[in-house]
Amino acid sequence: MRTKTAALGLVLSAGLVAGCSGGGADAEAKAPGGAESASATGAATESASAAPKEPVFQDKPVPGLAEKPAWSLSSKEAGNCVTKASEKETANGDICTVGDAVILTRFSGEGAEEMLVARLLDAKTGQERAKFELPDPDVEGSTYNPTRAVVQVGEWTDGSPAVLVRKLIETPEDGLKKATTKAELTMYAPSGEKLGSSSFEGEDHMSTPLRNGHLVESSGSGTTFTPIGGGAPVETKLSVDLKNAIGPGFGYSSEQDVSFQPYAEWLTAKDVRTGAKLWNTKTLAPPAALAGKITKDKATSARLMPHQGDKGLLEWALYGDSEVVMTLIDLKSGRRLAEGPAIDVTVTVDDDGSAIAPDGKTAVTQYGGGAVAWNTETGKELWRQAEDEVSIRPDALPGNGVLYAYLDGNGAALGADDKKLLASEIENMPEFTTDGHAVVRTTDGLFVFTTQPV
């Protein structure tokens, strides 16, 4: 019997992704809000059963969460969480939410009857919205088997949260018919409604990254975006690294152009899908804090980071300087919306992080140097990490007055507006849904709390 990993969304590496194999698209694909639900062979069925009896939450209370969980599941009942559809190879299945739902997976049966079962649960009540039963048979005597089923979290074409189910269908040789292998990819809304489905020859697309309802295959010569549910692929000559894509849809990418007359590092923003150039910092006005320091010999450098929706954070500095000025911009035009505080980025950027409030008006950023909280509408600084304080890496800012962050790697809760330490050594950090619930996983099980103001 092979051992199943706890990271159920784990995508086994199949080497470099080959060119897209056209497949038959599901003609009955639904847009978000459609009424279709899937069949018992890999899709959604309604359930009116109440949430199972909850285990006891043994951890210390977490600031900003209700004292008692709204519902919970034991470790055995909960099973495991999933991975991101945009990441080709991920070992940790640590994504437990999709929109206003909780997503969980577990195996049932043995040998040739083994199934991967994924469930979508209502975050408020714990009731089952949908269940996906996917064949994932164990092959006797084999030490390696290609992944037969993968469940992940991604986005539909409109950017809304969605579940991606990848199913490998193998048909044995039959008379004159050759054996065939197809990858069937289907996406569902958090409600369990089917959004679209496509099938492809071979098993390559069991690991192809997906963003906004499109498979993304990138090589040195360009990128192909293939929609799930039908439609013509879109091709661009721009090679895309999804980890660096910023903004809604397929997002925006940036590239640097170093100049020595004057010394500068201009930044060019491009549309990821088309490769079209949108704007360049050479033609944008620098923030006021830097404008008077620019000379004919020394101009600026810049770096682009994500914020929320169609807005981004553009970090400006004098070329070669470690102090930068944060600005909020419109990603499509580069137009500045607010000028924020100055920070130092002499520290390595490996631990870059940010947390954005649901309304987008407050951001806590840590880009190289210490963390800084600021109002993105006015640019006003709320607080910053002092030199004698431990590293604050922002994790979540759900809008309940709490910043969930890591202090030198340890979970903690801070006052969002004043940096006051509310709790430290939080063993299991919460993950938040879009409807104001927090999911906490412990060795005892999975616990779902309502958030509350602090």
Side-chain angles (χ1 to χ4, degrees):
M1 176 70 68
R2 59 180 164 150
T3 301
K4 295 287 188 178
T5 176
L8 293 181
L10 176 62
V11 179
L12 299 180
S13 174
L16 294 177
V17 178
C20 173
S21 300
D26 186 355
E28 298 179 352
K30 298 289 184 179
E36 181 179 358
S37 61
S39 69
T41 59
T45 55
E46 294 296 329
S47 172
S49 61
K53 184 179 180 180
E54 58 187 61
V56 178
F57 185 66
Q58 303 282 2
D59 290 6
K60 294 184 296 184
V62 179
L65 307 188
E67 183 179 350
K68 295 182 178 181
W71 59 273
S72 63
L73 297 171
S74 68
S75 295
K76 182 178 180 180
E77 292 170 322
N80 303 289
C81 296
V82 300
T83 56
K84 294 180 181 178
S86 61
E87 298 179 0
K88 181 179 179 181
E89 297 175 17
T90 305
N92 297 317
D94 56 2
I95 309 299
C96 303
T97 67
V98 53
D100 62 351
V102 175
I103 177 74
L104 298 172
T105 60
R106 64 184 178 188
F107 286 94
S108 67
E110 294 183 357
E113 303 299 321
E114 192 165 30
M115 304 284 286
L116 172 62
V117 179
R119 294 178 296 157
L120 276 169
L121 307 179
D122 185 283
K124 182 178 181 180
T125 65
Q127 289 188 342
E128 186 178 280
R129 292 179 177 177
K131 181 167 68 175
F132 310 89
E133 295 181 328
L134 308 164
D136 197 78
D138 191 1
V139 179
E140 186 176 354
S142 176
T143 57
Y144 170 77
N145 296 279
T147 298
R148 261 72 173 188
V150 177
V151 179
Q152 297 176 302
V153 168
E155 320 87 20
W156 185 234
T157 53
D158 62 356
S160 60
V163 175
L164 172 64
V165 175
R166 306 184 196 238
K167 183 168 60 174
L168 194 64
I169 302 175
E170 297 171 301
T171 303
E173 180 180 316
D174 183 14
L176 296 177
K177 297 283 188 179
K178 293 181 178 179
T180 61
T181 299
K182 288 187 177 182
E184 182 181 273
L185 276 63
T186 308
M187 300 198 73
Y188 301 90
S191 64
E193 295 167 351
K194 185 177 179 180
L195 301 174
S197 183
S198 295
S199 62
F200 305 90
E201 297 292 337
E203 61 182 70
D204 287 340
H205 290 314
M206 292 298 290
S207 61
T208 304
L210 177 140
R211 178 162 174 152
N212 280 76
H214 289 68
L215 295 173
V216 183
E217 299 173 274
S218 193
S219 65
S221 59
T223 302
T224 300
F225 300 87
T226 304
I228 300 298
V234 175
E235 296 185 359
T236 175
K237 294 182 179 180
L238 180 68
S239 183
V240 174
D241 180 357
L242 286 182
K243 292 182 180 180
N244 296 326
I246 293 172
F250 294 99
Y252 305 86
S253 65
S254 60
E255 62 182 33
Q256 304 290 342
D257 177 21
V258 178
S259 167
F260 300 101
Q261 294 180 354
Y263 284 98
E265 194 170 35
W266 311 119
L267 182 145
T268 299
K270 295 182 177 182
D271 183 291
V272 165
R273 189 171 61 169
T274 65
K277 294 182 180 180
L278 300 174
W279 47 268
N280 187 290
T281 55
K282 188 174 183 178
T283 59
L284 297 180
L290 296 179
K293 300 178 181 180
I294 296 174
T295 69
K296 65 177 182 178
D297 298 318
K298 188 175 184 179
T300 61
S301 62
R303 187 161 64 116
L304 187 62
M305 286 82 66
H307 180 70
Q308 190 179 68
D310 57 1
K311 299 178 179 63
L313 296 173
L314 185 60
E315 174 189 283
W316 289 80
L318 288 179
Y319 181 81
D321 285 10
S322 62
E323 185 174 81
V324 303
V325 176
M326 302 298 301
T327 64
L328 182 71
I329 64 165
D330 172 76
L331 282 169
K332 188 173 183 178
S333 65
R335 179 174 62 90
R336 185 179 311 120
L337 305 175
E339 180 174 330
I343 61 175
D344 189 279
V345 293
T346 54
V347 183
T348 176
V349 299
D350 290 344
D351 290 329
D352 279 0
S354 66
I356 314 297
D359 62 7
K361 296 179 181 179
T362 304
V364 182
T365 56
Q366 181 203 39
Y367 293 120
V372 178
W374 54 295
N375 184 306
T376 57
E377 287 190 319
T378 65
K380 179 182 178 182
E381 181 179 315
L382 301 176
W383 55 262
R384 71 170 53 224
Q385 181 182 324
E387 291 185 5
D388 63 349
E389 292 178 333
V390 298
S391 171
I392 300 174
R393 189 177 191 280
D395 182 62
L397 198 64
N400 59 349
V402 179
L403 166 67
Y404 299 90
Y406 289 93
L407 307 183
D408 276 351
N410 297 310
L414 308 174
D417 294 333
D418 58 11
K419 196 182 56 172
K420 179 182 179 181
L421 182 61
L422 303 175
S424 60
E425 301 295 333
I426 297 177
E427 185 175 355
N428 299 289
M429 292 285 275
E431 179 187 353
F432 297 92
T433 66
T434 56
D435 66 342
H437 290 84
V439 177
V440 179
R441 292 180 67 190
T442 74
T443 55
D444 296 315
L446 181 138
F447 302 84
V448 180
F449 297 82
T450 56
T451 58
Q452 58 186 21
V454 171

